[in-house]
Amino acid sequence: MLLKTSLRSFFAHKGRMLLSLIAVVLSVAFVSGTLVFSNTATSTFDKLFASTASDLSVRPAKPEFGDDRRAKALTVPVDSVTKVAAIPGVKTAIGQVSVQSATMADPATNKRVGPTSGAPTIVGNWADTPRNAVEITSGHAPQGADQVVIDADTAKKAKLAMGGRLRLITTDKHDFTIVGIATFKTTNPGAALAFLDTATAQTVLLGQSAYTSVEVFGDGSRSDEQLKSAALSGLGAGVEAKTAAEQKEENADSVGSFLDFMKYAMLGFAGISLLVGGFLIINTFSMLVAQRTREIGLLRAVGGSRKQVNRSVLVEALLLGTAGSTLGIGAGLGLAVGLIQLMNAVDMHLDAGDLKIGADVFIAGYAVGVVITVLAAWIPARRASRIAPIAALRDHGTPAEPRSNTVRAVIGLVLTVGGAGLLALAAKAEKMATGGQYIGLGVLFTLVGFVVLGPLLATTLVRVLGAALPALFGPSGKLAQRNAMRNPRRTGATAAALMIGLALVIGASVFTSTVIKSTNVQIDRSVGADYIISAGQNGVSPEIVDAVRKTSGIDHVTEQKYLPARFGAPDGKTSEEGVSAVSARFAEDFRLPVKEGSADSLKQGALAIGEDYAKDHGLKVGDSIKIDYGQGRVQSLPVGVIMTKGNSLFDGNTFASLEAVAKAVPAADLPVDAVLFGKAAAGVDVARTLNALEDALKEYPQATVRDQAGYKDLVQEQVNTLLYMIYGLLGLAIVVAVLGVVNTLALSVVERTREIGLLRAIGLSRRQLRRMIRLESVVIALFGAVLGTGLGLAWGVTGQRVLRTQGLEALSVPVATILFTLAASVAIGLLAALIPAFRAGRMNVLAAIATD
């Protein structure tokens, strides 16, 4: 009987359930789609690594500390191949050359060829191995000093074809003819590949007869571990060996961090949409229960128990959650395909036809959809079961609950005040870690506090926000204001969903705006150089440095190289740090934030260290630090400058002059420049010199040159990219919140059917009626926007105070974004009211009055 009643009620209100169903579908789709995408990407790369890894890879031992791509490629001797091949159990040993320091370009246009999203450009020798990642599908392998094979994805993207020319830029430029196209056997992880014959690869890429690794394939008579042990004992020191399993794990780790970041970020936003969707579902069931008060009273009067009434509502929620989860999992597959296409657009090639749908997708999807829906329905179900039968039969609505309002007010005030106190403590915290803990709890407490207080704030704020409506819109405006105030609990829950999304948007906007302003302030205050020249992860080659030096209008250039090193402080503690070795005139081009000492001491061979490092080790100006660069290259340098923390351009860096570092590390072993700075000569036109620099660097497509304004624009573009991604993900939460407003209004119209009929009967026109509903929606949306703006500003400002010691010293409140958000809230209110207002306007007056 209970199930029959629940089914009838569910299908009788299917229109009312639809929007709640959409909220569940969207939330589950985000969770299941993220898991399917993550599983598919992980499986794809696992297949690639498993199918291409050699049984054993013998390589040069890694540096003692650090692994800088800008350093020269490490190699093993040519005779290593012969030695490894002689080990019992080895079937084949192949010498491999592979570097990521070369740049590919199209000689016809001199434009860079290859990925721009961080994936590597790998150039090496063509070697037939039993497990090649690619196979030549067009043309043939390189057979001469001017021949190259490239991968099909790069050829297609760069519009290169057989017989065309490709330029490789290393320490020099080399042009080759494309004689083959190679296609990945499984998937392309996003890299651009080029292959030369072995002799050419050794000459062009290494400058010597050597290999970067020896790939070993066994005959099956010995395990990989046995081969590893034999190879290490036979080759001696200076090499390391990785078995197939170790190679797979190493490669998986290289892409795993990126995939995990995406996975957890998207699951975080899925959680936000679930929270917002929870409010929508609570609202839906609260209103449905209120509308069925008399029906519930009849069920109780004919013998139904409180437990049965409770179960009746929960069964409806279970049906809604199950249906929504099923549809959500299906929609999640579509989302996963979309994410795969997005990854393909940024050069990470995945196969959308090979989706991996594991049991975890269904478990998570149904757990999220069903559990959240049932929990959200439990509150109104419990409230419904407590209505006395006689009261329910007499009153078509739920009785007032003054005691619960008092409890709500106390709990809400405690949480809000406590959260505000935590935010204040976070803003005053001296340590970022402490401030971070306080702000995390403060955000949680203030959010929950505002949600709890929402219904109580609704009465006051809605009266204020709607104060002008009666004067501007007459009876429609007055009715809209009173309708929004009639059920504060419903208005508060509806607005809370919108409040959460907008609070996060405003908070993110304040943070990113502050990052941009703080960076600009630091550049203006600290950077005296006129131009910044970079060349990506591979660094600025000596040829680029020479080209910049020879450019007309340049007074001097400042080089900056990065060397991994181990520091030994006077207190006996050691730590892996790094040295930024700079030209002697560095202090002229940069105004160091000096706390103690003199910036000029860099020219005399002293170090510039950070305030935190000095504090941690009790250092002062004049103390010496032992610096170990590896390979027995050690020196001691005195501390000449202690830099004040809080400037992102210098924090975490230790500076020394190139002249001082060169006393320990031979010039031939120094890495290329990480970045180069140029200073215009006195009296020259800075803009004209920038054009001259751009012309001088046309032959080096890997290089980019920017003036200070261009560098600021670059920072803003990078921050905006992050911001737009956040906006896009938060958009889902806002869409669910809009659905909540639509649902509330739609159910409210049904609830007020008789009232609407009476209003029409006494002279309210259809236009006035629709206007009333639209204005009510706008007021509710504005209420949520005001609360969200207040929370977002509090969070953003506190975040800036917590990170003030990390470089975010200049607070920036994006007024335009806030005004746009408030205007958008009005638009959201109008949009959400379209369908409910249309339905209300079409009601038959007599039928509406006759509704019980």
Side-chain angles (χ1 to χ4, degrees), residues 587-601:
E588 298 177 28
D589 294 333
F590 287 87
R591 293 175 283 276
L592 295 178
V594 177
K595 182 176 183 179
E596 295 179 34
S598 169
D600 288 336
S601 63

Side-chain angles (χ1 to χ4, degrees), residues 344-386:
N344 290 345
V346 295
D347 300 323
M348 182 179 284
H349 300 285
L350 303 174
D351 184 4
D354 189 24
L355 295 179
K356 295 300 174 185
I357 309 169
D360 60 333
V361 175
F362 293 97
I363 292 171
Y366 281 107
V368 164
V370 174
V371 172
I372 294 296
T373 304
V374 171
L375 285 177
W378 179 78
I379 298 173
R382 179 173 173 272
R383 190 182 304 135
S385 67
R386 296 173 63 182

Side-chain angles (χ1 to χ4, degrees), residues 305-536:
S305 66
R306 287 177 58 181
K307 186 178 291 185
Q308 286 177 315
V309 171
N310 201 338
R311 285 178 183 171
S312 175
V313 178
L314 292 180
V315 167
E316 292 181 44
L318 182 62
L319 291 171
L320 177 68
T322 303
S325 298
T326 303
L327 294 173
I329 291 172
L333 299 182
L335 177 63
V337 172
L339 288 171
I340 287 172
Q341 297 301 327
L342 178 63
M343 291 298 99
N344 290 345
V346 295
D347 300 323
M348 182 179 284
H349 300 285
L350 303 174
D351 184 4
D354 189 24
L355 295 179
K356 295 300 174 185
I357 309 169
D360 60 333
V361 175
F362 293 97
I363 292 171
Y366 281 107
V368 164
V370 174
V371 172
I372 294 296
T373 304
V374 171
L375 285 177
W378 179 78
I379 298 173
R382 179 173 173 272
R383 190 182 304 135
S385 67
R386 296 173 63 182
I387 301 174
I390 299 302
L393 289 169
R394 181 175 63 246
D395 182 21
H396 190 74
T398 55
E401 300 180 45
R403 183 173 176 276
S404 68
N405 287 341
T406 302
V407 173
R408 176 186 289 269
V410 171
I411 294 174
L413 283 172
V414 169
L415 288 172
T416 304
V417 172
L422 287 168
L423 292 179
L425 288 174
K428 294 180 180 179
E430 293 298 325
K431 294 184 177 180
M432 186 184 70
T434 304
Q437 293 173 347
Y438 284 144
I439 193 174
L441 290 173
V443 166
L444 178 63
F445 279 29
T446 51
L447 176 60
V448 177
F450 265 57
V451 169
V452 174
L453 283 177
L456 304 178
L457 294 173
T459 303
T460 303
L461 281 180
V462 168
R463 181 179 284 112
V464 174
L465 294 172
L469 295 183
L472 294 174
F473 300 101
S476 296
K478 190 170 185 179
L479 287 169
Q481 182 191 31
R482 291 188 175 182
N483 285 338
M485 295 167 54
R486 175 186 293 182
N487 193 330
R489 177 178 288 166
R490 182 193 307 159
T491 299
T494 304
L498 196 58
M499 174 191 74
I500 294 170
L502 294 181
L504 292 168
V505 167
I506 295 296
S509 298
V510 171
F511 175 76
T512 53
S513 180
T514 297
V515 169
I516 292 170
K517 182 177 179 180
S518 297
T519 303
N520 289 346
V521 168
Q522 290 170 2
I523 291 172
D524 290 337
R525 184 175 61 220
S526 303
V527 180
D530 296 305
Y531 312 105
I532 300 98
I533 299 95
S534 59

Side-chain angles (χ1 to χ4, degrees), residues 173-355:
K173 300 173 191 174
H174 308 270
D175 288 354
F176 299 89
T177 300
I178 300 172
V179 297
I181 302 294
T183 303
F184 275 84
K185 294 180 180 179
T186 52
T187 186
N188 182 355
L193 306 182
F195 302 97
L196 311 172
D197 67 21
T198 299
T200 305
Q202 291 173 328
T203 302
V204 171
L205 304 176
L206 304 179
Q208 60 178 316
S209 180
Y211 296 111
T212 55
S213 70
V214 178
E215 304 304 320
V216 182
F217 299 89
D219 59 13
S221 63
R222 306 182 76 180
S223 68
D224 292 352
E225 288 293 341
Q226 289 174 322
L227 293 176
K228 175 179 178 179
S229 177
L232 290 176
S233 61
L235 295 176
V239 299
E240 65 177 15
K242 298 277 187 182
T243 63
E246 291 170 336
Q247 293 175 63
K248 179 182 175 182
E249 183 180 357
E250 182 182 51
N251 289 326
D253 288 343
S254 66
V255 297
S257 57
F258 170 73
L259 294 177
D260 284 345
F261 169 77
M262 284 197 63
K263 176 180 177 180
Y264 294 124
M266 293 182 64
L267 286 177
F269 285 104
I272 293 169
S273 68
L274 284 173
L275 179 63
V276 174
F279 286 109
L280 196 163
I281 297 166
I282 290 173
N283 250 9
T284 299
F285 279 93
S286 295
M287 298 180 73
L288 288 176
V289 168
Q291 292 169 20
R292 291 164 50 200
T293 302
R294 186 165 294 181
E295 175 189 325
I296 291 171
L298 285 170
L299 285 173
R300 295 289 308 281
V302 298
S305 66
R306 287 177 58 181
K307 186 178 291 185
Q308 286 177 315
V309 171
N310 201 338
R311 285 178 183 171
S312 175
V313 178
L314 292 180
V315 167
E316 292 181 44
L318 182 62
L319 291 171
L320 177 68
T322 303
S325 298
T326 303
L327 294 173
I329 291 172
L333 299 182
L335 177 63
V337 172
L339 288 171
I340 287 172
Q341 297 301 327
L342 178 63
M343 291 298 99
N344 290 345
V346 295
D347 300 323
M348 182 179 284
H349 300 285
L350 303 174
D351 184 4
D354 189 24
L355 295 179

Side-chain angles (χ1 to χ4, degrees), residues 90-115:
V90 172
K91 182 179 181 180
T92 307
I94 300 172
Q96 188 114 28
V97 176
S98 180
V99 302
Q100 297 183 26
S101 57
T103 301
M104 295 164 53
D106 183 349
T109 61
N110 208 39
K111 289 185 178 179
R112 187 171 181 172
V113 171

Side-chain angles (χ1 to χ4, degrees), residues 41-56 130-133 185-187 217 224 243-252:
T42 301
S43 173
T44 299
F45 287 115
D46 283 347
K47 286 180 182 178
L48 172 66
F49 301 145
S51 63
T52 59
S54 59
D55 294 330
L56 187 71
R131 298 177 199 152
N132 266 357
K185 294 180 180 179
T186 52
T187 186
F217 299 89
D224 292 352
T243 63
E246 291 170 336
Q247 293 175 63
K248 179 182 175 182
E249 183 180 357
E250 182 182 51
N251 289 326

